[in-house]
Amino acid sequence: MLGQGFVSAAAIAASVLFVLSLGGLSNQEKAKRAVWYGIVGMAVAVLFTAFGPGIGNYWLMIPMIAIGSVIGWKVATRVAMTEMPQLVAALHSFVGLAAVFVAWNADLERRRVLAAQALGAGYQEFSAFAALVATKASDELTFLQLEVVFAIFIGAVTFTGSVVAFGKLAGKVDGKPHKLPGGHMLNAGAAAFSLLLAILYLNGAGFWTLLILAALAFFIGWHLIMGIGGADMPVVVSMLNSYSGWAAAAIGFTLSNDLLIVTGALVGSSGAILSYIMCKAMNRNFVSVILGGFGGGTQGPAAEIEGEQVAIDAAGVASSLNNADSVVIVPGYGMAVAQAQNAVSELVRKLRSAGKEVRFAIHPVAGRLPGHMNVLLAEARVPYDIVLEMDEINDDFPKTDVTIVIGSNDIVNPAAQDDPNSPIAGMPVLEVWKSSVVFVCKRGQGTGYSGIENPLFYKENTRMFYGDARESIDSLLSLID
């Protein structure tokens, strides 16, 4: 058993490592080291918390940690990068559900202590948490109840919201937005009823209030995310990440665990900041994101698209690349699905060896997870200095000879600028159509995951390079001079 001093020192060390981890993840060159900071910080946090004062039941805790570690290792080694977004959503759901269970247990312990005190009995046979509750004054117990309410509500919303997000990202749930009749009024009514239950609970009502509160929050989380279209899932995942952080912080206050408070606050605040940045990148209202109020509606019918999609073969694409001086590659989720990043990296190497300027254009919400494309390119050892953000490269498209779009739709859709009735109207996009020639690597003529038509595919300077992205890029490699 370790003393409180050791635990406090470990909490400070782990907190510093978590901050360093978050800071390093903003830079591709430091990202791997930053991940190790996070791993070591979490190991320190778990170890010193598990063997801290007032902790027991090791016969149960140690096997659970071992089982969870093995499962985590197995999942991490089997999940491909294409499945990483839904894995993150699934992990968010675990945090939310854990917050609900811990909050329920905290209130049951509170009730046991109060009952024992009313009878003049001791509470020493209860848990360490019960002993902590017994020392609290009445106003501190009120704050404990507030923490319980907050943890249950945010945790339950996070759980069902993350489950739906997982389903949409994995293709197990329709990616289109769906709402029950009544739409936002149902969510508002459930939230108002939740507030009423919280007031009743704070005024002495029974444990049943927390059960119904959780049920209502489960509904809100499910209905909020069901009402958001698949094209907006990157922002949703980021926002759910923030929710899970605040749920963890609330539980930290409940358990008087400083490290959990710090960790939850870091996750919650960083997730909220990232969501805000992504909302700006998509021209979305931040408050509307939180309330699940975007992703589905339009002001009228979208503009009709004229023309036809013109296909091209590998020889035609290779001919244009051989004659080009400047090339921009725009990766999207289609590249991840086909696992084409290594083939793309080899194509870049050959083009640069031929003296051509090659760069990547990365939209802030490319893929289904913030930073998804950056991770894939880093995995394929693409040089960091040729990977540029949208704002850095958008003005260069008119001077670009060839742009290759690999599995992207919304982030290169001119309807965002030209059609006020488009579901993505006003969203900043990569203006690839201003290049001399645009080649779009795409499996077929469908609208893809988001279900939004793209006029880019019908423009005179666009040619459709149909097929699996990895096979298509591989077919070019032998044709590049």
Side-chain angles (χ1 to χ4, degrees), residues 248-325:
I251 291 303
F253 280 108
T254 301
L255 300 177
S256 296
N257 186 313
D258 295 338
L259 184 55
L260 197 52
I261 295 171
V262 172
T263 304
L266 284 173
V267 173
S269 57
S270 60
I273 292 170
L274 179 59
S275 298
Y276 177 74
I277 292 172
M278 294 177 71
C279 284
K280 288 187 65 177
M282 298 178 69
N283 194 38
R284 303 294 192 186
N285 183 280
F286 184 66
V287 175
S288 184
V289 173
I290 299 173
L291 299 178
F294 69 93
T298 61
Q299 296 179 351
E304 293 187 6
I305 300 176
E306 298 180 353
E308 61 179 354
Q309 297 183 18
V310 181
I312 193 171
D313 59 12
V317 176
S319 176
S320 292
L321 289 173
N322 286 327
N323 293 324
D325 293 321

Side-chain angles (χ1 to χ4, degrees), residues 179-190 223-224 227 288 291-294:
K179 283 188 175 72
L180 295 175
H184 294 303
M185 291 305 298
L186 281 175
N187 295 334
H223 197 225
L224 277 177
S288 184
L291 299 178
F294 69 93

Side-chain angles (χ1 to χ4, degrees), residues 339-361:
Q339 298 185 29
Q341 61 269 25
N342 290 310
V344 171
S345 179
E346 178 61 18
L347 176 64
V348 170
R349 188 193 64 78
K350 295 197 70 171
L351 290 173
R352 296 184 80 193
S353 296
K356 303 179 189 301
E357 180 188 33
V358 183
R359 293 175 295 170
F360 286 84

Side-chain angles (χ1 to χ4, degrees), residues 102-193:
V102 171
W104 276 343
N105 185 69
D107 186 69
L108 290 174
E109 291 287 85
R110 180 187 69 86
R111 292 176 186 277
R112 292 177 69 189
V113 168
L114 292 177
Q117 289 176 336
L119 295 173
Y123 52 84
Q124 287 77 11
E125 71 276 13
F126 296 160
S127 66
F129 176 73
L132 176 66
V133 171
T135 64
K136 291 182 178 292
S138 60
D139 57 339
E140 292 177 313
L141 287 176
T142 300
F143 275 108
L144 173 62
Q145 289 179 279
L146 287 170
E147 293 157 9
V148 165
V149 168
F150 184 79
I152 289 175
F153 186 81
I154 296 297
V157 169
T158 302
F159 172 68
T160 48
S162 298
V163 169
V164 174
F166 168 83
K168 290 196 173 191
L169 290 167
K172 300 180 184 298
V173 176
D174 187 359
K176 295 180 181 179
H178 296 283
K179 283 188 175 72
L180 295 175
H184 294 303
M185 291 305 298
L186 281 175
N187 295 334
F193 194 16

Side-chain angles (χ1 to χ4, degrees), residues 14-30:
S15 299
V16 171
L17 287 169
F18 291 148
V19 171
L20 291 174
S21 180
L22 279 175
L25 289 173
S26 63
N27 183 293
Q28 290 186 26
E29 296 181 82
K30 299 178 181 177

Side-chain angles (χ1 to χ4, degrees), residues 28-249:
Q28 290 186 26
E29 296 181 82
K30 299 178 181 177
K32 289 186 178 180
R33 187 192 313 161
V35 169
W36 277 107
Y37 286 148
I39 292 172
V40 174
M42 186 55 67
V44 169
V46 171
L47 179 65
F48 280 82
T49 299
F51 292 97
I55 305 299
N57 293 326
Y58 291 107
W59 62 272
L60 181 62
M61 182 192 306
I62 292 176
M64 289 297 100
I65 292 176
I67 292 171
S69 299
V70 171
I71 293 174
W73 180 79
K74 287 284 188 182
V75 170
T77 55
R78 292 182 180 180
V79 171
M81 270 304 304
T82 53
E83 300 171 329
M84 195 58 65
Q86 48 262 47
L87 174 63
V88 171
L91 294 176
H92 290 164
S93 72
F94 296 156
V95 176
L97 192 59
V100 174
F101 284 145
V102 171
W104 276 343
N105 185 69
D107 186 69
L108 290 174
E109 291 287 85
R110 180 187 69 86
R111 292 176 186 277
R112 292 177 69 189
V113 168
L114 292 177
Q117 289 176 336
L119 295 173
Y123 52 84
Q124 287 77 11
E125 71 276 13
F126 296 160
S127 66
F129 176 73
L132 176 66
V133 171
T135 64
K136 291 182 178 292
S138 60
D139 57 339
E140 292 177 313
L141 287 176
T142 300
F143 275 108
L144 173 62
Q145 289 179 279
L146 287 170
E147 293 157 9
V148 165
V149 168
F150 184 79
I152 289 175
F153 186 81
I154 296 297
V157 169
T158 302
F159 172 68
T160 48
S162 298
V163 169
V164 174
F166 168 83
K168 290 196 173 191
L169 290 167
K172 300 180 184 298
V173 176
D174 187 359
K176 295 180 181 179
H178 296 283
K179 283 188 175 72
L180 295 175
H184 294 303
M185 291 305 298
L186 281 175
N187 295 334
F193 194 16
S194 298
L195 179 61
L196 175 61
L197 288 168
I199 294 172
L200 291 173
Y201 166 69
L202 292 172
N203 283 277
F207 186 74
W208 62 270
T209 55
L210 298 183
L211 295 175
I212 299 177
L213 174 66
L216 289 170
F218 283 143
F219 167 78
I220 292 173
W222 171 80
H223 197 225
L224 277 177
I225 308 306
M226 281 298 294
I228 297 175
D232 297 318
M233 277 300 115
V235 185
V236 171
V237 172
S238 177
M239 202 65 234
L240 288 170
N241 177 59
S242 180
Y243 290 167
S244 69
W246 297 126

